[in-house]
Amino acid sequence: MARMTRSATAREAALLAAQLQPGKARPSKASDAERLQKPAGRGTPAVSASLNNSLPSHPASKKRKTTARAADPNEVHGLPHNLGPAVTLSPQNEIRVPIKREEIEELANSLQDTVDKACNTPPGLPEKGTKSKKTNQYSLTPGTTPFPDWTRPTPEECEEVNRLLATVHGEIVAPTTIPEPSLTVTGCGEVPSVLDALIRTLLSGATTGNNSAMAFNGLVQKFGIVEEGIGKGSVNWEAVRQAPLKDVFEAIKRGGLADVKSKKIKAILDMVYQENQERRDMLVKGSPGAPPELLQKPDNGKQYEIACADQNFLSLNHLHSLATEDAMGELVKYPGIGPKTAACVLLFCLQRPCFAVDTHIFRICKWLNWVPPDKATEITAFSHLEVRIPNHLKYSLHQLFIRHGKSCPRCRAITGQSSAGWEKGCVIDHLVKRTGKRKGASPGYPQDARRPNSRKRRP
């Protein structure tokens, strides 16, 4: 039986209401009795005769013919989706019993409500043609590791690796202070801007540091910076938001993946603008439904947010006042922002202990056996290492792993005995078991870790 849509049902209810008004003629080409004798065709809902007569008529198919049958006076015509019996009218051209307008409206509303309930997806089930959406799209559970039985790394192992890498790359110390946002200075330079940091990190994805720097500089050159007032020194993100997409694309195209990243940037800025205006309205009106962190802000913090919104200066600096878990949840809701990008903003801009995992860190941590090599992904590795690595080592280990992963001849991606500088060794060589694509074999390496087409060296 064909599915009756909400719009079709509502239209039929409206037509029914119009026909039942007293004194209003009903269009008719045949008697109601004759129409009631016509059975519903296959795939057509068995609605009442008057409803069918009110809809536009279509010529009968030449390929299929139906045989008329006598109407059964006891037969009840039902609506689709088990909505109950259809409204059956008297087989006369005029209605014998007048119906009040209030009853008609009540009937129409009741019918629409019934269709709505029938068409709505039951709780817990995805709608047809759509994928089920999780509340947390990355399945992050702060404070809980996805590998509870994997006890590595231990705090002692983290301290040892940090010490060894520091002997090669220098000791890394995290900054201890960060200036608070003010009403006169923010953005690049003296006062870190969360939005600047977010866009910078987005531009750095899947490209080199030099390319991402050129992309960010392209935005500065194209749209300028805020010269005075609130946000002085920051990129003019409002100009970027209002600019055509092609202008944003042209500004960042030297950094790579400009087609995707330009769309993400525009979408993020639109969301930030809307949120800034909503927060401003809550502060001005003192809305009781506002987030607690917003209403509990000091007066200068409230004035700062209101002034930013009034001057259309896009800002995410309110994330400074959120707990780390809440700030992470706020960041990953933006288009193109995953756990790695959000963790980098938390670590470097918000100065929270957060172990962001990029491709170099993921590779080395698998070799160190700090995560299950065959089960972990970059996202699950982040969740696991965020729990296992002590907070005071997250900043330094993040930096040291990246430096080591880029520079060590034995720990770079797709390296091996034939790599230049291999003979220099590696300070953590005794702790790692390297897997993956290799340029050559090495003692202790699994044979299947070589490239399939690699040739054996002659003695």
Side-chain angles (χ1 to χ4, degrees), residues 244-302:
L245 179 61
K246 64 178 182 179
D247 289 352
V248 181
F249 171 84
E250 289 294 329
I252 67 173
K253 66 180 182 180
R254 296 177 64 189
L257 298 177
D259 181 48
V260 175
K261 293 181 180 180
S262 59
K263 294 176 183 177
K264 301 298 184 185
I265 291 173
K266 291 277 290 179
I268 290 172
L269 297 180
D270 284 338
M271 288 181 64
V272 172
Y273 173 81
Q274 184 65 32
E275 291 167 2
N276 286 174
Q277 296 300 318
E278 291 174 354
R279 290 174 66 87
R280 184 257 182 208
D281 292 342
M282 290 179 183
L283 287 171
V284 171
K285 299 176 182 178
S287 175
E293 57 87 14
L294 182 62
L295 298 180
Q296 295 171 4
K297 291 175 73 73
D299 289 341
N300 61 344
K302 294 179 180 179

Side-chain angles (χ1 to χ4, degrees), residues 157-386:
E157 288 177 317
C158 295
E159 294 281 2
E160 177 67 6
V161 171
N162 188 80
R163 183 187 65 80
L164 291 172
L165 293 179
T167 62
V168 177
H169 305 289
E171 186 177 358
I172 305 295
V173 179
T176 57
T177 59
I178 184 171
E180 292 294 332
S182 71
L183 291 176
T184 56
V185 181
T186 189
C188 307
E190 295 178 74
V191 180
S193 165
V194 180
L195 184 56
D196 281 13
L198 185 67
I199 302 299
R200 282 179 182 270
T201 311
L202 175 64
L203 291 173
S204 70
T207 189
T208 65
N210 184 56
N211 285 345
S212 63
M214 288 192 297
F216 191 81
N217 186 61
L219 291 173
V220 174
Q221 297 300 320
K222 180 72 174 178
F223 302 102
I225 61 175
V226 179
E227 299 290 348
E228 59 184 7
I230 294 178
K232 181 180 178 180
S234 177
V235 175
N236 190 345
W237 294 118
E238 176 63 9
V240 180
R241 186 183 75 86
Q242 294 187 6
L245 179 61
K246 64 178 182 179
D247 289 352
V248 181
F249 171 84
E250 289 294 329
I252 67 173
K253 66 180 182 180
R254 296 177 64 189
L257 298 177
D259 181 48
V260 175
K261 293 181 180 180
S262 59
K263 294 176 183 177
K264 301 298 184 185
I265 291 173
K266 291 277 290 179
I268 290 172
L269 297 180
D270 284 338
M271 288 181 64
V272 172
Y273 173 81
Q274 184 65 32
E275 291 167 2
N276 286 174
Q277 296 300 318
E278 291 174 354
R279 290 174 66 87
R280 184 257 182 208
D281 292 342
M282 290 179 183
L283 287 171
V284 171
K285 299 176 182 178
S287 175
E293 57 87 14
L294 182 62
L295 298 180
Q296 295 171 4
K297 291 175 73 73
D299 289 341
N300 61 344
K302 294 179 180 179
Q303 294 173 4
Y304 174 80
E305 286 210 40
I306 294 173
C308 286
D310 287 343
Q311 298 184 27
N312 288 338
F313 172 68
L314 305 185
S315 173
L316 284 177
N317 288 336
H318 63 273
L319 297 185
H320 282 284
S321 62
L322 295 184
T324 300
E325 295 176 3
D326 295 334
M328 169 65 78
E330 287 294 308
L331 289 169
V332 297
K333 74 183 182 184
Y334 294 110
I337 305 302
K340 173 199 166 184
T341 301
C344 285
V345 174
L346 285 167
L347 180 65
F348 295 110
C349 182
L350 301 181
Q351 292 192 322
R352 311 293 176 84
C354 195
F355 194 71
V357 176
D358 77 339
T359 181
H360 300 291
I361 295 173
F362 183 50
R363 180 175 66 254
I364 295 176
C365 286
K366 285 195 297 183
W367 290 353
L368 285 168
N369 212 30
W370 283 11
V371 295
D374 300 329
K375 296 181 180 180
T377 64
E378 287 191 19
I379 294 176
T380 56
F382 163 74
S383 296
H384 177 74
L385 297 171
E386 182 71 6

